[in-house]
Amino acid sequence: MIPSVLAHQVQQGVKDFLRTTFPLSSPHFHGLLEGLLARDGGLFRGPYLSINLPFRQGKGGADFFPHVPLKFPPYFHQEQAFLRLSGDRPRSTLVATGTGSGKTECFLYPILDACYRHRGEPGIKAILIYPMNALATDQAGRLARTIHGNEKLRGHVTAGLFVGQSEKDPSMGMGPESIVTNKETLRLKPPDILLTNYKMLDYLLIRVKDFPLWKQNGPESLRFLVVDELHTFDGAQGTDLACLVRRLKARLKTPPGFLCCVGTSATLGSEGEKQRLVQYAREVFGEPFDGDSVITESRVSAGEYLADCFVTRRDVVQPEKADALDPEAYDGHEAFIRAQHALWFHDEIPEGGFEEPGWRTALGEKIKGHYFFQNLLKAMEGKPQGLGELLDRLERVTPELQGAPAEYRENLLNSLLSLVSEARVWGGGSEGEGGKGIPEADRKTAPFLHVRIQLWLRELRRMVGEVSQTPALTFADDLNDEQLKRHLPVVNCRECGSTAWAGLKRQKDSFISGNLEDFYPAFFGDDPKVTFLFPEEAGARNRPMESGISLLCPQCLNLTERLDGENCPSCN
C-alpha cells in the first residue's frame, strides 16, 4: 500500500460517488458540483505529509528501575515521566505524545516498580481505565508478557482484567500471555493492578457482589489511577468520569493529594492547549496538577538527524522519465518499488528477496545520504506540510522541479516517499539499540522513518448556493452575514436530477428566507412555507409572465411578477 496513491484513490472515489449520487439535470446548475470539487480547499484539505524523525533519547539507561529493567534505553519524554511517577510520592502527570511514542511504558513501569516495592501488601494498588474493552484487552496481554518475563515480578505482582464481556475460558491465574480474568477469582483475591472501563468501575463500586474486591484496600493502598485517552472523555462523559473518580476516592477513604493520577492524550499544539488540558485534568481527577505535569514528545531536529551524514548522491529522476514515476503504470506494489529503487539508486533489489531485511536496511542508508531527501527533511521543518507548499520550497533547490508539470513533481516526491516507507533500520535485542552482536537472522528491524499522508474530507452539511447567473455551491459556515443574504439552500432530486434553490416564503409575502436554522425544521416538517425556485432558461424574462413564473432579485431575494423598469421594486 502506497499512502500517496491511496489518498489519490480515496479522493477520486469520493468525487465519483458524489457525481453519481447527485446528478444535476437543471441547466442553470450545470457545473455546480464540479466547481466545488475543483475548488482548492473546497471539499478536501491536503494531502498533508508528515515525516516523524526519531524521538530524542534520554540521558539514562534501561536500568532506571533496577527491579523492572526496560528492554531499551527510554526516550527523553519517557524518562521525564519516570522522574515524576517514581518514588514514594509520585506526582500526577499527563502524557501527551504521538503514536508509537511508548505512552504506556511511561506509566506502566513506575506502577510495576511500585507494586514490586509494596509486594505482599493487600489491596488494589493501581487502576487503569480504558475507553474501550479492546484497548484494555490488548494492554492486558502486554502487561502479562512484561510480568511473566521478569523473574522478580513473576509470582509477586498480579494484574486482572474486569470488563463486561465474559470469556469462554477465563483465566484464574497469571500466565505468559494472560492476566487474571475470572471475575470470582478477582473478587476473592484482588490483583495489584486492575484494568477496566469507567462504566464497569461504576458497577464495581455499587454492586453488592463486588464488595470483596475493595475489602482489602486501606486508605493508602490505591496509589495510581490511570485514564487512557483522557481527551475522549468530553462533555457528559467527562462529568460522569469526574463523579466516578470522586466516589472511588470517597469509597476507599483516599487522603487528599495522595492519589497519583495519570492521563494519556493526543499530541498538543499550542501552550494554550496544554493549559486547557491541565485545567481539565484538575477538574476530572480532583487532584493537583502542577505547571510541569504535561509530558510532550521531543524529537531530534533535521539538523541533528543529519549531523554525521554526508551527501553521497545528488542525481534526481529526470523529467523525461516521468512516466516511470507513475504508480498506475505498474502491476503491483512490488513492481513499483523495484522500479523506483532502480531509478533513484541505479541498483536492483535481489530477485526473490523482496521481503528480506538486508536491502531495506541498506536502502535507509542510501536515502539518508541523498541530497534531495536531506532538503526534504529541512523543508518539512519538523511539522506536517501541504504537498503543494512543500514542492514549492523544494523547487528553489531542485532545478528539475522548476517549471516542471505538476504531475511529475508530485510523482517524484511520492516515489521517494514510497522508498522511505519501505526502508528499515536495525533495532532491538539485548545488546541495545541496533542489536549489535546478534546474528542477522535473529535481529529485528524497525521503520526507517514514519511517513504519514493525511487527507481531510469536509462533511457536506449546511450547503448553500449563491443566487446568481453562475451559482457556486459553498458552505454556509464559511460566509459572513452579508454574504449569506445572497445565498439559499440547494435541493436536488436524486431520481430525476432536478435542482433548485429553496427557502421559506409566507403566502402573501414576496421575500425568500434562507435562514438555515428555520429552513431545516420546516423542510423536514413538511411546512407549507417551504418554497422551491427552479431557474428558467435564458430569455424567459422577455416572455409574458405566466403562472408560476417570477423574477428573483439576487440582492434582496424578493420575488416580483412584473418589472416596470430594470430595477427591483423592493431594493431598487
Side-chain angles (χ1 to χ4, degrees), residues 229-490:
E229 306 288 349
L230 179 64
H231 58 277
T232 62
F233 293 90
D234 57 355
Q237 199 174 50
T239 303
D240 288 344
L241 178 62
C243 293
L244 178 63
V245 171
R246 283 155 177 78
R247 287 170 46 215
L248 173 68
K249 292 190 290 185
R251 173 68 174 274
L252 301 181
K253 297 181 174 59
T254 305
F258 176 80
L259 185 63
C260 177
C261 299
V262 180
T264 70
S265 180
T267 51
L268 299 174
S270 65
E271 185 66 25
E273 290 178 340
K274 182 185 296 186
Q275 295 306 316
R276 284 193 294 271
L277 182 60
V278 170
Q279 183 58 35
Y280 176 70
R282 290 169 181 163
E283 295 172 356
V284 168
F285 291 109
E287 295 289 341
F289 282 78
D290 57 46
D292 298 325
S293 61
V294 180
I295 305 296
T296 56
E297 65 184 38
S298 178
R299 296 181 182 270
V300 299
S301 65
E304 292 172 308
Y305 182 69
L306 300 170
D308 300 325
C309 187
F310 297 100
V311 175
T312 57
R313 290 176 172 82
R314 289 181 174 272
D315 52 324
V316 174
V317 182
Q318 298 300 307
E320 52 265 26
K321 295 183 179 179
D323 292 343
L325 295 170
D326 185 3
E328 302 292 342
Y330 297 90
D331 292 334
H333 173 75
E334 181 176 339
F336 175 71
I337 295 299
R338 285 183 177 277
Q340 305 316 300
H341 188 278
L343 284 171
W344 283 91
F345 302 109
H346 313 292
D347 191 13
E348 299 292 335
I349 299 173
E351 285 297 330
F354 189 75
E355 299 302 328
E356 295 298 321
W359 74 268
R360 295 174 186 271
T361 54
L363 175 61
E365 292 301 317
K366 294 176 185 177
I367 291 174
K368 198 171 181 180
H370 202 291
Y371 185 66
F372 185 77
F373 172 74
Q374 294 191 8
N375 283 334
L376 171 62
L377 288 189
K378 294 171 184 176
M380 292 290 299
E381 297 181 344
K383 58 186 179 183
Q385 299 283 351
L387 292 185
E389 297 84 348
L390 183 61
L391 285 167
D392 288 341
R393 293 184 183 182
L394 289 172
E395 183 179 337
R396 302 168 191 166
V397 292
T398 310
E400 290 82 358
L401 295 179
Q402 297 171 5
E407 186 176 8
Y408 162 77
R409 289 155 49 99
E410 293 177 7
N411 284 341
L412 179 71
L413 179 58
N414 289 335
S415 170
L416 182 63
L417 292 176
S418 300
L419 293 176
V420 174
S421 299
E422 292 293 327
R424 295 290 185 270
V425 292
W426 291 115
S430 58
E431 299 299 321
E433 192 162 358
K436 297 178 181 178
I438 301 175
E440 183 171 311
D442 298 329
R443 294 164 74 188
K444 297 180 180 179
T445 63
F448 169 58
L449 290 175
H450 290 276
V451 179
R452 178 180 295 175
I453 298 287
Q454 297 185 49
L455 177 67
W456 293 81
L457 170 64
R458 191 168 184 181
E459 182 183 4
L460 284 172
R461 64 186 297 272
R462 296 174 60 83
M463 305 301 297
V464 293
E466 183 184 13
V467 179
S468 69
Q469 293 287 0
T470 55
L473 190 64
T474 190
F475 297 86
D477 295 333
D478 291 347
L479 304 176
N480 58 37
D481 292 341
E482 192 61 33
Q483 292 170 324
L484 279 172
K485 294 178 181 179
R486 297 187 293 275
H487 287 74
L488 290 173
V490 177

Side-chain angles (χ1 to χ4, degrees), residues 120 150 424 545:
N150 187 315
R424 295 290 185 270
M545 292 300 177

Side-chain angles (χ1 to χ4, degrees), residues 137 140 161-172 178-183:
T137 303
L161 175 67
F162 205 126
V163 294
Q165 299 171 338
S166 297
E167 300 179 358
K168 290 183 179 180
D169 188 19
S171 174
M172 300 180 67
S178 62
I179 60 178
V180 183
T181 57
N182 184 281
K183 292 179 172 56

